[in-house]
Each structure stands twice: as structure tokens, then as C-alpha cells.
Amino acid sequence: IIVISENCFRILILLLFMLYINNSNSSNYFKILFLIFFLSIELSWSLGTFNWGTAIRHHICSLGVLSILTAYLFENKTNNEK
């Protein structure tokens, strides 16, 4: 259950971030760069990981980049309220 909920949460953040990039009027260069960082980290660890326990541990490596992507989503909300 924990594995499924974590992966659903990651997918939700990525989908919301893709919608944010599509609807954003500002420069998306750094946002897309962080998305590429996240996807490259996930891809590099997924190529060598076949065990679920190992895969969960390797999600920690990309957690920092995922939190930056999430911060961009909340940055949009705070800028619209001002």
C-alpha cells in the first residue's frame, strides 16, 4: 500500500507540473531543466533496479528534485493571490 500511494503521489505531482508548464506565461527554462533532472535520475536508477525494496530506497535520490518541482506549483498559487 505504501509503495502504491508513493508512486501515485509522484505521478500526481508530475501531472500537475506538466499542466503548470503548459499554462504558465513566464519563462519555463529552469522548470523544464529540473524536470529533466528528475526524469534522468529516475531513469538511471530504474535501469539497474529490479527489486521493489531497492527501488523504494532509490526514490530518495530524486526526492529533493521532486520537492523543488512541488515548490514551483505552490509558487504559482502564492503569486496569483498577491
Side-chain angles (χ1 to χ4, degrees):
I1 300 260
I2 293 172
V3 175
I4 294 170
S5 62
E6 179 190 357
N7 286 330
C8 289
F9 184 66
R10 286 175 172 269
I11 290 170
L12 177 68
I13 289 175
L14 287 175
L15 289 176
L16 288 174
F17 190 73
M18 295 289 191
L19 289 173
Y20 168 71
I21 287 176
N22 285 338
N23 295 333
S24 178
N25 294 331
S26 63
S27 173
N28 291 328
Y29 176 74
F30 287 113
K31 297 167 188 147
I32 293 173
L33 186 64
F34 277 113
L35 181 64
I36 290 170
F37 284 159
F38 174 76
L39 293 175
S40 64
I41 290 170
E42 287 292 318
L43 180 67
S44 65
W45 281 112
S46 69
L47 290 176
T49 306
F50 301 104
N51 186 342
W52 271 33
T54 307
I56 292 302
R57 265 191 319 225
H58 290 255
H59 278 185
I60 299 296
C61 301
S62 64
L63 193 58
V65 180
L66 187 64
S67 62
I68 292 172
L69 295 179
T70 307
Y72 277 129
L73 293 173
F74 287 112
E75 176 192 39
N76 188 27
K77 296 267 187 201
T78 57
N79 286 342
N80 287 340
E81 291 176 359
K82 290 182 180 180

